[in-house]
């Protein structure tokens, strides 16, 4: 303790450029929530270090205030621009990675995205989720197993994707059939599932707002490579949120939201088999992909 | 260069937890604006370092998204919650400090705050800016000089403060007289100015929004210590934005926005002088304060 508080900014509570973060952190009450203190301590230190590194002009500070304000103001019931900002800065993927460290062999996770809906229709195996008749017919087959390769019967696969025009049904209410390209499937006794759909196409994230403008200023395109979303869950296992990607998409190495992982690139391929096509009700040739999912138990996840 | 891009996440463009910031930064086009690149590079590095330090759960990430969204959505023509957030985290003061490094002897600056208006009335010396008749009468006197102590004639002082109830006129349209406690004064040939007002009182920043809630969670109060705002400018000198504070305010060491600097605490004091009180039209005793302002030239500021 010094006797003259004026010699010690942090003690006086007065601001100083040198001790700026420490002065602010010192104000957090010692009896406030420990987790909040931990988060705010780190946030304040990094925020001040960032400002000291870039030394913004008052005008640049004003632009940042405007950007943050507009990013909040464009949000509504069906648009979440702050999630989009988190996505394009790689923060959503980082939070996903931190929360899904798993033993080797388990299926990798990736971002949920903003287009999942909770009440997709439940279908029998083999149903076609494509209700608008657009796109290249695709058959998706695979198994859900544990890390020992044992089948998981009764696992649920919640599946959704954008249509041939690059939009999810919820983005085009009244244009696409409701629940187009969504469905929930269940594995059989051997852990197998299958359904019909269409080969996914790449599409841009909404880029007419502040986040799209920032992407443009960074010289980045707004496209996500073609993918199908899955949430796969089963009793006694940790659910996983993931995608599978087509292997030849031009945006595979530059996903606007950094969602691609090598292990999630699947073997989408053309099949020339008139008999099988006829069986499926497809014209020949058609597209097919097989993707297996490996789930872990909560205990395995903890150890992962 | 490696031959297999899968061995090198930053090259493949794929996300990895370890290289997360590098992968995102590598996407910024080399021909984008160099200042934007500098800012985004630093922002992304600090944002990822923060997330890695605190390891947020998906639920905590969701709470952060909601906080940022609501902070934007509460903003309107007369309320700027993101400036308030910048203020309570000490960022506004830090940006002010970075942009106002000055030679020793010059008057210190502090935050502008959200309540300045551009078109305050111009008054002759001695005018009373208090139009609602509330509060303890105060006479403010002083000089504006250069760093050599030479008077600056014709300097303009733009003055504003909250009223006895702790509100600025713009916060209480229809309640307070328009332009209550605002005015622009000009120094005489000897650099002197003076005006009448009331002794300022402490007041809370708007604390009914997301920022007020965060303050509360950190165990911090929303009060700003009693102060009068000044913008002082003169031809050939750098304008300064500053406050003067009363010396005995209970919130002097815990300003919610970190605006206090030792040199800005002024000698507000009671005067017991019936003749002078009568001259001023005040009852006796009354309050007085003297505050001198020292301006620097643009050249001095550059060297500061």
């Amino acid at each position: 303790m010094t006797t003259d508080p004026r010699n010690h900014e942090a003690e006086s509570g007065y601001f100083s450029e040198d001790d700026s973060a420490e002065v602010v952190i010192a104000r957090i009450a010692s009896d406030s929530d420990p987790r909040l203190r931990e988060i705010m301590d780190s946030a304040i230190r990094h925020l001040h270090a960032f400002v000291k590194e870039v030394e913004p002009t008052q005008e640049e500070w004003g632009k940042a205030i405007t950007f943050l304000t507009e990013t909040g103001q464009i949000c509504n019931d069906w648009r979440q621009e702050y999630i989009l900002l988190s996505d394009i800065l790689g923060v959503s993927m980082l939070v996903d990675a931190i929360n899904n460290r798993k033993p080797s062999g388990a299926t990798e996770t990736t971002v949920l995205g903003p287009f999942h809906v909770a009440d997709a229709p439940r279908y029998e195996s083999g149903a076609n989720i494509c209700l608008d008749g657009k796109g290249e017919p695709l058959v998706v087959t695979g198994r859900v197993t544990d890390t020992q390769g044992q089948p998981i019967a009764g696992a649920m696969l919640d599946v959704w994707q954008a249509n041939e025009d690059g939009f999810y049904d919820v983005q085009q209410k009244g244009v696409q059939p409701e629940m187009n390209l969504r469905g929930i499937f269940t594995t059989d006794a051997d852990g197998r599932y299958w359904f019909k759909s269409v080969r996914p196409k790449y599409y841009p994230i909404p880029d007419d707002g502040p986040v799209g403008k920032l992407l443009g200023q960074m010289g980045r395109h707004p496209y996500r490579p073609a993918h199908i979303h899955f949430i796969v869950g089963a009793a006694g296992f940790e659910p996983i949120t993931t995608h599978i990607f087509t292997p030849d998409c031009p945006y595979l190495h530059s996903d606007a939201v950094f969602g691609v992982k090598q292990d999630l690139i699947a073997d989408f391929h053309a099949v020339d088999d008139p008999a099988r096509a006829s069986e499926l009700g497809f014209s020949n040739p058609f597209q097919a992909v097989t993707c297996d999912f490996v789930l872990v138990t909560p205990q395995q996840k903890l150890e992962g």
Side-chain angles (χ1 to χ4, degrees), chain A:
Chain A
M1 295 287 286
T2 58
T3 48
D4 184 352
R6 286 170 300 182
N7 296 336
H8 215 293
E9 301 292 352
E11 250 172 62
S12 68
Y14 298 157
F15 182 87
S16 78
E17 186 176 341
D18 286 347
D19 295 332
S20 66
E22 291 72 16
V23 169
V24 178
I25 289 166
R27 289 278 184 87
I28 304 174
S30 57
D31 62 350
S32 57
D33 178 72
R35 178 60 174 159
L36 181 85
R37 280 164 58 197
E38 189 180 359
I39 291 170
M40 292 309 299
D41 182 288
S42 177
I44 291 164
R45 274 188 294 101
H46 282 292
L47 187 57
H48 283 241
F50 161 63
V51 171
K52 287 175 182 185
E53 256 177 51
V54 304
E55 299 207 334
T57 63
Q58 292 283 1
E59 191 195 347
E60 287 170 339
W61 172 86
K63 280 187 187 174
I65 295 288
T66 300
F67 173 80
L68 294 168
T69 305
E70 290 179 348
T71 299
Q73 296 204 324
I74 205 171
C75 294
N76 57 32
D77 285 348
W78 46 269
R79 178 167 187 159
Q80 225 312 343
E81 195 83 355
Y82 265 107
I83 291 185
L84 209 59
L85 181 60
S86 168
D87 290 350
I88 69 136
L89 296 180
V91 172
S92 304
M93 279 300 287
L94 181 55
V95 173
D96 177 76
I98 287 167
N99 285 281
N100 291 286
R101 294 179 187 130
K102 289 208 188 74
S104 161
T107 299
E108 297 266 18
T109 57
T110 190
V111 284
L112 175 66
F115 300 120
H116 179 250
V117 303
D119 53 348
R122 287 163 184 266
Y123 289 118
E124 295 293 316
S125 285
N128 193 340
I129 61 173
C130 176
L131 309 181
D132 65 2
K134 294 180 181 178
E136 227 177 326
L138 168 76
V139 58
V140 185
T141 55
R143 286 180 89 203
V144 181
T145 67
D146 65 18
T147 53
Q148 306 304 310
Q150 295 301 307
I152 303 176
M156 309 266 277
L157 297 99
D158 190 344
V159 180
W160 69 107
Q161 68 179 80
N163 81 344
E164 181 71 3
D165 302 323
F167 295 101
Y168 292 84
D169 57 351
V170 291
Q171 293 178 286
Q172 290 196 314
K173 288 187 177 176
V175 176
Q176 291 188 37
E178 236 180 285
M179 299 292 175
N180 190 29
L181 293 161
R182 298 181 183 277
I184 298 176
F185 295 89
T186 309
T187 55
D188 65 16
D190 196 30
R192 292 187 189 280
Y193 73 92
W194 76 282
F195 61 93
K196 296 182 223 171
S197 184
V198 287
R199 188 180 162 98
K201 290 192 66 169
Y202 60 80
Y203 63 83
I205 59 172
D207 67 341
D208 58 340
V211 170
K213 197 175 158 198
L214 177 63
L215 266 184
Q217 286 170 336
M218 290 193 286
R220 286 173 51 183
H221 66 72
Y223 290 97
R224 295 218 60 207
H227 60 276
I228 302 177
H229 293 263
F230 288 86
I231 296 174
V232 184
F237 293 88
E238 283 289 311
I240 56 164
T241 298
T242 193
H243 304 355
I244 58 170
F245 294 91
T246 65
D248 51 359
C249 185
Y251 299 111
L252 201 56
H253 294 276
S254 60
D255 183 354
V257 310
F258 303 94
V260 182
K261 293 177 176 174
Q262 186 65 37
D263 291 349
L264 300 179
I265 301 169
D267 75 333
F268 288 82
H269 60 281
V271 176
D272 183 1
D273 181 342
R276 178 73 176 137
S278 158
E279 208 177 274
L280 291 166
F282 288 171
S283 57
N284 191 60
F286 58 92
Q287 291 283 318
V289 65
T290 295
C291 47
D292 297 336
F293 297 97
V294 180
L295 302 187
V296 299
T297 62
Q299 186 57 37
Q300 284 179 309
K301 184 173 174 179
L302 274 178
E303 292 161 0

